[in-house]
Amino acid sequence: MSGIYIHIPFCKQACHYCDFHFSTSLKKKDEMVLALANEITLRKDEFKDEVIETIYFGGGTPSILEIADIRMLIDSVYQNYKVIENPEITVEANPDDLTETRITELSHNRINRISIGIQSFFEDDLKLMNRAHNSEEAKKCLETATQYFDNISIDLIYGVPGMSNEKWLKNIETALSFKMPHISSYALTVEPKTALHTFIQKGIISQPDDEVAQDHFHLLVDKLEENGFIHYELSNFGKENYFSKNNSSYWLGKKYIGIGPSAHSYNGIFRSWNVSNNSLYLKSIAENQLPSETETLTKTDRYNEYVMTGLRTIWGISLDRIEREFGKNYLDYLNQQAAKYIEDHLLFIDDNILRTTKSGKFLSDGIASDLFLLNLE
């Protein structure tokens, strides 16, 4: 089973923390939609032996598109690929786009999952992030969305400067009051060349505090687990049967094609990525050329990716798989590097699976990097 990711490179305005590829100019939106459909067709032979189980609209802001545009892109996938009977089809959306009319339109198509970028239910946080919606819109869209969709995910951001533990708990409790079956939550990170980075350098906004973020993370884990959520990936929590199939496929190493500017693709052997420039992308697609670069993943690359993704999830790192796919030298190295973290109760081995302990989860990316190999080939 495989997936299709479609990147919609447009937003109404730039969030201060975001370093994803997008444009706030919508002049080329119609041209872009046609180009995305063209790329879907151009790449059909890559998956001629694959079956699509997920279609995911990310961005950018996919909810900025007209319903007819989204429908046309979904139809293009169905026309060019084998698709399972009930695929997971997700559209990312911002609260300010989710009027009752828009939610109704989305629900009357093949879309069966929406992921809503709430980020916070507090006005001051939303203004600091430069979100396009306000707190009232966030709550209103959830009230309406839950009447039309069963499978809803929301995003929340923690570690925001000035956010107390009490305020963060209030955010979580507000989300729970809407009976969300899935929550994705991320620490506010400062990426280079973002407005947030500039504001911090100028002293306008305080630097996010790692200890505060770690406290918020543990509060989040405890509160959601108390309410029946499964912490199945570092940043993702779902009720049973509500895990994101799209995201899970990435972590489990399944194949996917990324459509659109900056989108990445993976087939187990090669990784490719499209140019992060709307004009260059449109020019290439108009000439029926794929505007992408490709790298062949070495055995060490594949080992490192498996370590990184495995350690972030409840599925962990299979030591049997490490030995089977990469060899005894890789297994010996992994065991050697993991030993100190096991001793410090940050990692543990159960049924020959290496996983993080509860106290090791927040540190999983840092631990994974210490388990990486530079080269064993």
Side-chain angles (χ1 to χ4, degrees):
M1 296 291 186
S2 304
I4 300 282
Y5 170 83
I6 303 172
H7 186 80
I8 308 303
F10 300 107
C11 288
K12 288 180 182 176
Q13 63 188 50
C15 297
H16 287 159
Y17 56 85
C18 182
D19 70 340
F20 291 164
H21 172 70
F22 66 91
S23 170
T24 53
S25 170
L26 304 182
K27 290 179 182 178
K28 296 181 178 180
K29 181 167 69 73
D30 293 342
E31 185 182 354
M32 181 62 70
V33 171
L34 293 174
L36 295 173
N38 193 13
E39 186 186 357
I40 289 169
T41 303
L42 286 172
R43 300 184 67 178
K44 63 182 180 181
D45 288 344
E46 294 179 36
F47 270 11
K48 62 183 178 182
D49 298 321
E50 299 293 329
V51 178
I52 302 301
E53 65 175 342
T54 62
I55 302 170
Y56 192 98
F57 288 84
T61 309
S63 56
I64 213 166
L65 296 184
E66 299 298 324
I67 291 296
D69 295 333
I70 296 174
R71 184 186 300 121
M72 187 267 284
L73 293 171
I74 295 173
D75 289 345
S76 294
V77 174
Y78 271 83
Q79 290 159 12
N80 290 284
Y81 300 80
K82 300 171 190 171
V83 182
I84 65 170
E85 186 174 347
N86 293 303
E88 178 188 87
I89 303 181
T90 304
V91 172
E92 290 183 353
N94 281 345
D96 46 297
D97 294 325
L98 291 180
T99 62
E100 183 162 8
T101 299
R102 173 53 61 93
I103 292 170
T104 305
E105 289 174 339
L106 288 168
S107 71
H108 288 165
N109 287 274
R110 288 187 168 113
I111 299 151
N112 50 32
R113 184 174 185 271
I114 52 174
S115 177
I116 306 175
I118 299 293
Q119 314 311 354
S120 177
F121 291 99
F122 290 92
E123 288 303 334
D124 56 338
D125 296 336
L126 296 172
K127 288 176 181 176
L128 181 147
M129 299 178 204
N130 200 39
R131 296 292 292 168
H133 70 277
N134 59 41
S135 178
E136 186 58 35
E137 286 173 320
K139 295 172 184 176
K140 179 62 178 174
C141 84
L142 292 180
E143 287 174 5
T144 307
T146 51
Q147 298 174 35
Y148 293 89
F149 283 90
D150 170 60
N151 199 349
I152 300 173
S153 177
I154 67 168
D155 289 352
L156 294 175
I157 291 180
Y158 58 86
V160 178
M163 180 183 281
S164 65
N165 288 350
E166 292 73 24
K167 187 178 180 183
W168 173 233
L169 276 172
K170 183 63 177 176
N171 260 327
I172 301 169
E173 288 165 356
T174 303
L176 290 171
S177 72
F178 291 98
K179 303 190 184 308
M180 294 292 100
H182 190 280
I183 294 174
S184 297
S185 192
Y186 309 89
L188 181 67
T189 55
V190 184
E191 302 293 348
K193 299 180 181 179
T194 60
L196 179 61
H197 182 254
T198 300
F199 294 150
I200 288 171
Q201 283 187 319
K202 292 181 176 180
I204 298 171
I205 296 175
S206 301
Q207 177 78 31
D209 187 311
D210 289 343
E211 289 187 11
V212 170
Q214 188 164 351
D215 286 346
H216 287 180
F217 174 80
H218 289 301
L219 287 169
L220 174 73
V221 172
D222 290 344
K223 191 70 174 177
L224 293 186
E225 288 183 346
E226 283 173 16
N227 283 271
F229 284 81
I230 300 167
H231 188 195
Y232 71 102
E233 193 273 341
L234 180 63
S235 302
N236 287 270
F237 304 78
K239 293 289 183 76
E240 194 167 350
N241 299 320
Y242 285 95
F243 294 2
S244 166
K245 293 179 182 177
N246 173 80
N247 293 350
S248 296
S249 69
Y250 296 154
W251 304 317
L252 294 172
K254 296 184 180 182
K255 299 176 183 179
Y256 57 89
I257 287 177
I259 302 295
S262 80
H264 285 232
S265 303
Y266 172 76
N267 70 359
I269 301 170
F270 301 104
R271 183 176 304 286
S272 64
W273 55 94
N274 288 345
V275 64
S276 296
N277 181 295
N278 287 4
S279 296
L280 292 178
Y281 173 84
L282 291 170
K283 183 176 184 296
S284 293
I285 295 296
E287 297 168 354
N288 291 326
Q289 298 293 321
L290 294 178
S292 63
E293 294 182 48
T294 301
E295 68 171 338
T296 302
L297 298 174
T298 65
K299 183 191 287 188
T300 300
D301 291 334
R302 289 185 282 111
Y303 162 85
N304 288 342
E305 288 204 5
Y306 177 50
V307 167
M308 172 60 83
T309 55
L311 213 58
R312 289 178 63 101
T313 70
I314 58 171
W315 302 290
I317 301 168
S318 166
L319 301 183
D320 291 333
R321 177 178 169 183
I322 292 289
E323 185 169 23
R324 183 176 63 252
E325 292 190 13
F326 304 104
K328 191 172 185 304
N329 286 345
Y330 283 81
L331 178 62
D332 290 345
Y333 177 82
L334 177 60
N335 282 326
Q336 175 188 328
Q337 292 300 105
K340 58 181 174 288
Y341 295 107
I342 293 173
E343 187 176 338
D344 291 339
H345 305 290
L346 298 173
L347 295 179
F348 72 101
I349 297 174
D350 179 48
D351 198 23
N352 229 25
I353 304 290
L354 181 67
R355 297 185 176 94
T356 56
T357 63
K358 188 170 184 177
S359 53
K361 282 182 180 178
F362 184 75
L363 306 171
S364 62
D365 285 349
I367 295 171
S369 67
D370 201 27
L371 306 182
F372 287 171
L373 254 170
L374 295 179
N375 198 5
L376 234 181
E377 298 182 338

